Amino acid sequence: MSTAEESMLPRVRVGDWIDTAFDWIDDNLNILLTLFRDVMTFVVEGLVDLLMSPPPLVMVALFALVAWLVSSWRLALGTALGFALLISMDIWLPSMQTLALVIVATIVAVALAVPLGVLAARNDAVSAVVRPVLDFMQTMPGFVYLIPAVTFFSIGLVPGIFATIIFALPPGVRLTELGIRQVDAETVEAGQAFGASPWQILRGIQMPLAVPTIMAGVNQVIMLALSMAVIAGFTGADGLGKLVVESIARLNTPLGVEAGIGVVILAIFLDRVTSALGNPGRHAGSLLARLRARRTAAGGPQPTTTSEPASGSSSPSTTETSVRAGT
Amino acid sequence: MPLLAAEHLYKIFGRRPQRGVEALRNGATRAELRAEGLTPAVIDASFEVSPGEIFVVMGLSGSGKSTLIRMINGLHPATAGEVVIEDENLSALKGEALRRVRREKISMVFQHFALLPHRTVGENAAYGLKVQGMSRSDREARADRALEMVGLKGWGESLPGELSGGMQQRVGLARALAAETDILLMDEAFSALDPLIRREMQDQLVDLQQRLDKTIVFITHDLNEAMRLGDRIAMMRDGRIEQIGTAEQILNDPSSNYVAQFVQDVDRAKVLTAGAVMERPEYVIGAEQGPQQAHKLIREHQLDALPVVRRDRTPVGVVLPGEIAAAVRDGRTDLPLTERSASTVTLDTPLADLLADAARRTSPLLVVDDQGRLAGLIPQVTLLTALSNHPAEEVSR
């Protein structure tokens, strides 16, 4: 074993410095930390209460309905079976606790990631700073986040959600930046050419066209949040993670497998639903798509063909040709 | 007074582009600037566009034409030089002031349409008005009118993806028309369309221009399109404008070898008009005169043909030397008009439309102006020379 001293290099105490920085934050930004703790506790516990208030079978039906609304009846069926299994395995409460934690962590992470991604897309300097920070956040082992989280918030739910937010944030930022940078340059130019302000271009052109990519980012955020929410069991956050930690400690295979299956069921549900939200066009069988199709068929006027003599077109023959070319 | 003027515009991409302008003014070449990491896209471009004119900028890819058109509405700020619209120097404007000019004075049509796929055709056509902050009902009415103008009445509820390329570009055109700006910039607007549709769009553009009196700056790499549309054409090469002139000027009097080579493959019969190749009649004879006078004129001036006109200079026909000589010999008192010469052509008839006519007759074609008065004549030899690829000296013999 060679030490820094043997290599003639000074021992750089990065860890100590960071620790000092954390201590400083703990001492001086206590109000913010307390606020974060109180808000998160309130929101997550409230959400758990909400998810637990109807009978579990009613909730299963609701989840299946969500799946049908955005995706297909097949996903709805799978969801119903999977969530019923959660009840049968007697892990309904921890599953809902984990789900609540993931939902809240995702909302916070996306609320931070999307504006940051927009900034990075619009400004190369911001992008250059943000990118290595994201690399750092993503590659640092997830467990490490738990340590300062516990120093800040002691054990329980809040350090878990804090670590989850940090860990899940990067893909949201990256894919938002990518989505906005990918928007067709000519379309953005069109906005500029008609005198739109940068804000009008962002809202009316860049964001809507970036939605599929941003939603892919949100999907990634959710997946990472779910994987981290399990690790958060180490801080004592209630949920499937806690069961996993217990099963490791006691080498309890049945408990571990059941908790693991619970995570998988939640993961598949969240993944399919969010990816369907990002590409509504691809899910023609979804309930929402059907309702929309019915509404347009009943209400919206069909284009009157331009061959009608009263169209007032200066060159009807012209239009007819291109109509034909279009079909 | 020009509506739009560009004065010594430079656009150079790279770090500290200003030094490139200095270097170019001092005679540096493009290659020398490239070596220093600068890319000169537009070099010393000056032109003026009059109200109601279609001004075409023609050049191959990389010639700087797309950069140049984006400098007109400030999408690319000029490195040096000025863009003046009406009396306003656009180069001095920034931020909101620049956006106001774009909203009120210039609109643009894009090569790949640049429509919003998630908005309906009607919403796309109304985009410029929405940006201006117009109320929904007002902008819908104006967008509907614009869609009607381009022949898309009733398509307002469709999505752009449901339309063919040609129809999508009509939406792009409607969006620009709805903004009701005086100036319309068109960046390779028809290049992505197939030839038949392109042809229709060109006709429609000319038609709309005449009705609405727009001032159009049109960018293209297609010389035939340039010649069909342009009142005047600027030929660009390597960032510089090589020549500005009418289609005929560029065809018949190219300013450089490059332009000459470029135009050699043009279908001259479609571009050149009767007015451009006709000869001015040096002598005419009144319809009431007799063969003696005609004979005298022809003999004295060695004429191949002599146009016969009424008092108001409207042509009656042509007399030819051989027939005049015969008439004098026979002692006739009326002019022996060549039978088939009574029909005339107008100044703007393309040569392609004269060929069949010219082949059937022995006498020159008579060209009349828009009041029906004799403007010139085109002997067959002149027609053939004009169509050959060796212009200038022979044509203006």
Side-chain angles (χ1 to χ4, degrees):
Chain A
M1 273 280 287
S2 72
T3 65
E5 214 164 311
E6 282 168 27
S7 318
M8 317 277 277
L9 286 174
R11 170 74 168 93
V12 181
R13 304 204 169 270
V14 179
D16 291 353
W17 300 339
I18 300 287
D19 192 37
T20 314
F22 282 151
D23 284 345
W24 185 88
I25 293 173
D26 202 13
D27 293 343
N28 294 281
L29 301 179
N30 212 291
I31 303 170
L32 283 179
L33 296 180
T34 314
L35 184 71
F36 180 80
R37 178 166 56 218
D38 292 349
V39 170
M40 284 301 129
T41 313
F42 175 77
V43 172
V44 174
E45 284 178 356
L47 189 54
V48 172
D49 288 346
L50 187 71
L51 291 171
M52 292 303 294
S53 59
L57 278 177
V58 174
M59 284 309 294
V60 170
L62 279 177
F63 285 121
L65 183 67
V66 168
W68 196 17
L69 272 177
V70 301
S71 182
S72 63
W73 64 267
R74 282 182 297 275
L75 183 66
L77 187 65
T79 304
L81 291 176
F83 278 63
L85 185 61
L86 294 180
I87 302 174
S88 302
M89 291 192 300
D90 228 357
I91 51 170
W92 181 253
L93 174 65
S95 299
M96 290 303 106
Q97 284 165 335
T98 297
L99 185 64
L101 195 154
V102 168
I103 290 173
V104 173
T106 302
I107 290 171
V108 176
V110 169
L112 292 172
V114 170
L116 201 58
V118 169
L119 270 181
R122 299 173 68 84
N123 187 322
D124 288 341
V126 173
S127 177
V129 174
V130 162
R131 195 161 303 177
V133 175
L134 294 181
D135 290 338
F136 181 93
M137 285 165 69
Q138 234 175 346
T139 46
M140 177 65 82
F143 291 98
V144 178
Y145 292 123
L146 297 177
I147 307 165
V150 172
T151 17
F152 289 159
F153 306 109
S154 79
I155 56 165
L157 164 81
V158 181
I161 204 166
F162 177 82
T164 306
I165 291 168
I166 302 282
F167 188 69
L169 194 66
V173 181
R174 276 187 216 279
L175 285 162
T176 302
E177 178 181 355
L178 180 72
I180 287 188
R181 284 185 186 263
Q182 268 179 345
V183 170
D184 177 41
E186 217 185 35
T187 312
V188 176
E189 269 186 340
Q192 292 169 336
F194 283 93
S197 65
W199 173 245
Q200 284 172 321
I201 290 173
L202 181 67
R203 264 202 52 202
I205 299 176
Q206 290 173 313
M207 287 299 277
L209 295 189
V211 159
T213 315
I214 293 177
M215 283 310 292
V218 171
N219 177 269
Q220 288 299 300
V221 169
I222 291 179
M223 291 298 105
L224 283 185
L226 190 58
S227 68
M228 191 63 195
V230 174
I231 297 174
F234 283 99
T235 66
D238 288 328
L240 295 172
K242 203 175 184 182
L243 298 186
V244 172
V245 173
E246 270 175 38
S247 67
I248 294 173
R250 289 194 244 138
L251 286 180
N252 183 339
T253 311
L255 179 65
V257 169
E258 285 178 359
I261 291 175
V263 172
V264 171
I265 290 171
L266 286 183
I268 293 176
F269 172 74
L270 290 172
D271 176 65
R272 298 298 188 275
V273 166
T274 50
S275 62
L277 278 177
N279 294 295
R282 258 192 248 155
H283 298 269
S286 77
L287 210 52
L288 278 180
R290 280 170 198 224
L291 288 174
R292 218 175 289 133
R294 184 172 304 171
R295 204 181 315 139
T296 36
Q302 293 300 301
T304 49
T305 45
T306 31
S307 54
E308 109 187 29
S311 72
S313 155
S314 60
S315 49
S317 62
T318 299
T319 324
E320 274 173 295
T321 316
S322 48
V323 171
R324 239 177 283 130
T327 48
Chain B
M1 206 196 86
L3 180 62
L4 165 68
E7 286 158 22
H8 303 288
L9 281 178
Y10 283 82
K11 179 70 194 180
I12 298 174
F13 294 105
R15 287 166 64 90
R16 295 200 295 120
Q18 206 59 44
R19 67 198 158 110
V21 176
E22 288 304 313
L24 285 166
R25 281 184 182 145
N26 293 332
T29 63
R30 267 184 130 205
E32 285 166 9
L33 259 71
R34 283 241 178 75
E36 294 192 38
L38 293 176
T39 313
V42 173
I43 303 168
D44 198 16
S46 298
F47 58 84
E48 293 183 340
V49 185
S50 314
E53 187 179 17
I54 300 185
F55 184 79
V56 175
V57 180
M58 150 80 212
L60 299 179
S61 54
S63 62
K65 57 190 191 304
S66 286
T67 310
L68 182 62
I69 200 175
R70 281 164 172 73
M71 292 167 81
I72 296 175
N73 62 359
L75 288 181
H76 288 326
T79 311
E82 290 178 355
V83 174
V84 181
I85 291 171
E86 288 168 346
D87 285 326
E88 204 161 13
N89 180 359
L90 205 68
S91 317
L93 299 180
K94 281 200 172 66
E96 180 53 29
L98 183 57
R99 290 198 286 274
R100 182 185 51 76
V101 171
R102 289 173 183 162
R103 286 195 294 263
E104 292 170 4
K105 296 192 174 157
I106 316 173
S107 46
M108 188 159 174
V109 181
F110 292 85
Q111 179 173 10
H112 301 290
F113 326 139
L115 302 175
L116 297 177
H118 60 293
R119 295 278 176 215
T120 65
V121 165
E123 286 167 335
N124 268 289
Y127 181 76
L129 307 174
K130 188 180 172 193
V131 167
Q132 291 172 19
M134 189 181 280
S135 77
R136 175 177 289 271
S137 57
D138 285 358
R139 66 175 191 249
E140 276 176 358
R142 234 157 94 174
D144 280 350
R145 274 208 304 280
L147 285 172
E148 190 174 334
M149 271 187 250
V150 301
L152 285 181
K153 187 187 168 99
W155 288 87
E157 300 296 319
S158 313
L159 287 173
E162 299 162 13
L163 270 55
S164 68
M167 291 167 81
Q168 289 190 35
Q169 192 57 298
R170 283 166 205 270
V171 180
L173 190 56
R175 175 171 65 181
L177 293 177
E180 292 184 4
T181 56
D182 287 339
I183 304 172
L184 199 58
L185 304 180
M186 304 190 70
D187 177 27
E188 299 248 15
F190 304 149
S191 300
L193 307 176
D194 63 62
L196 261 178
I197 306 288
R198 192 185 311 169
R199 190 62 194 267
E200 288 176 8
M201 294 289 284
Q202 289 165 354
D203 292 343
Q204 193 174 30
L205 181 69
V206 171
D207 183 51
L208 283 168
Q209 196 276 335
Q210 280 165 1
R211 272 200 293 158
L212 305 173
D213 203 31
K214 297 278 179 192
T215 306
I216 299 174
V217 179
F218 194 102
I219 299 283
T220 183
H221 64 258
D222 175 351
L223 189 59
N224 284 312
E225 183 168 75
M227 301 235 161
R228 270 174 68 84
L229 293 176
D231 291 322
R232 285 186 307 143
I233 299 166
M235 300 285 291
M236 269 191 101
R237 179 204 188 185
D238 292 346
R240 293 179 193 273
I241 296 182
E242 295 253 321
Q243 184 174 8
I244 299 181
T246 62
E248 282 133 13
Q249 283 167 350
I250 284 177
L251 264 185
N252 287 332
D253 189 14
S255 69
S256 66
N257 271 343
Y258 175 78
V259 176
Q261 275 176 22
F262 212 96
V263 299
Q264 72 180 1
D265 292 333
V266 166
D267 188 347
R268 305 170 69 87
K270 284 189 182 147
V271 175
L272 293 178
T273 58
V277 302
M278 70 184 187
E279 295 170 7
R280 301 266 162 208
E282 287 173 64
Y283 302 94
V284 294
I285 189 164
E288 72 289 348
Q289 308 269 36
Q292 292 290 351
Q293 287 93 332
H295 190 58
K296 186 162 171 267
L297 267 176
I298 287 175
R299 222 182 34 219
E300 279 175 10
H301 303 287
Q302 298 286 308
L303 301 176
D304 297 328
L306 182 64
V308 183
V309 295
R310 300 189 188 90
R311 282 187 194 283
D312 58 359
R313 279 189 74 86
T314 55
V316 180
V318 177
V319 288
L320 301 175
E323 290 169 12
I324 282 288
V328 170
R329 213 180 308 121
D330 299 349
R332 284 170 61 179
T333 53
D334 58 328
L335 287 171
L337 289 176
T338 302
E339 180 212 344
R340 283 152 301 185
S341 64
S343 69
T344 57
V345 298
T346 53
L347 286 169
D348 55 2
T349 313
L351 296 193
D353 297 353
L354 305 180
L355 294 174
D357 225 7
R360 270 191 266 108
R361 42 169 94 206
T362 48
S363 59
L365 297 167
L366 295 180
V367 184
V368 295
D369 62 19
D370 46 12
Q371 271 122 48
R373 292 176 308 204
L374 181 70
L377 65 166
I378 308 176
Q380 275 82 344
V381 180
T382 306
L383 188 58
L384 291 175
T385 317
L387 290 175
S388 78
N389 266 341
H390 306 284
E393 56 287 320
E394 288 100 324
V395 172
S396 57
R397 56 176 173 151

